[in-house]
Amino acid sequence: VYVCDAQAVIVAFNQRAIELWGRTPSLGQTDEKFCGAHKLFRPDGTYLPHSETPMEWVLRTGQTARDEEVIIERPDGLRVTVLVNIAPLFDESGRQIGAVNCFQDLSAQKHSEKEREQLRGELHQAQKMDVMGRLTGRLAHDFNNLLAGMTISLDLLQLRIEQGRFNDLGRYITAAKDASKRAAALTHRLLAFSRRHTLDVKTTDINRLVGGMDELIRRSEE
């Protein structure tokens, strides 16, 4: 707590004010006006001129300032965030003669908020990595199926050629090409997702897709 006169010169203060300021002011000295040697900042870190402080507003308007956050830079360079509440003081005739400032140290609260924000960031990163892990596993499974389709088709094609059975070779070539096209389409969707592009959604003929796989499996048994 500290008290100032109508010219914003400090006339009284308590021990806790000294601890927060990091210095002991000289009562009644004009250089103590608006907290004297302290540099003040807004919550966003921008410089706060003494002519725009809550105390100046209270002395100018005669109204009360409530729950204003101000950052005090002490002489040792340490910055302390305080919650300011200021009430004007009047004499018996109603003339404003000063103001009393009660300011609360918010350092512990700000530290807790910073820790919570850090924890939220770590949690978000963990969730993102979990999603990426599951997505990678699913993609590896999909690519493995596509590669298996191409490998089986090429193996069967090679076997038919070695056996001198040249009929229906186009089926295996078509099956391998279809698998490669699906792999290329999957890669395209991955790139679009990573770049946040809009995907070109198309209707898939499930019966045709399953039928193509059925033919591949059936011929692999021959």
Side-chain angles (χ1 to χ4, degrees), residues 156-157 160-161 163-172 219 222:
L156 291 175
L157 180 62
R160 284 297 184 96
I161 292 175
Q163 293 175 345
R165 301 165 60 189
F166 300 107
N167 58 310
D168 296 332
L169 294 183
R171 294 177 181 271
Y172 303 111
R219 290 186 172 275
E222 296 180 1

Side-chain angles (χ1 to χ4, degrees), residues 141-153:
H141 180 73
D142 290 344
F143 270 114
N144 185 61
N145 289 338
L146 294 172
L147 290 173
M150 287 185 279
T151 300
I152 292 173
S153 297

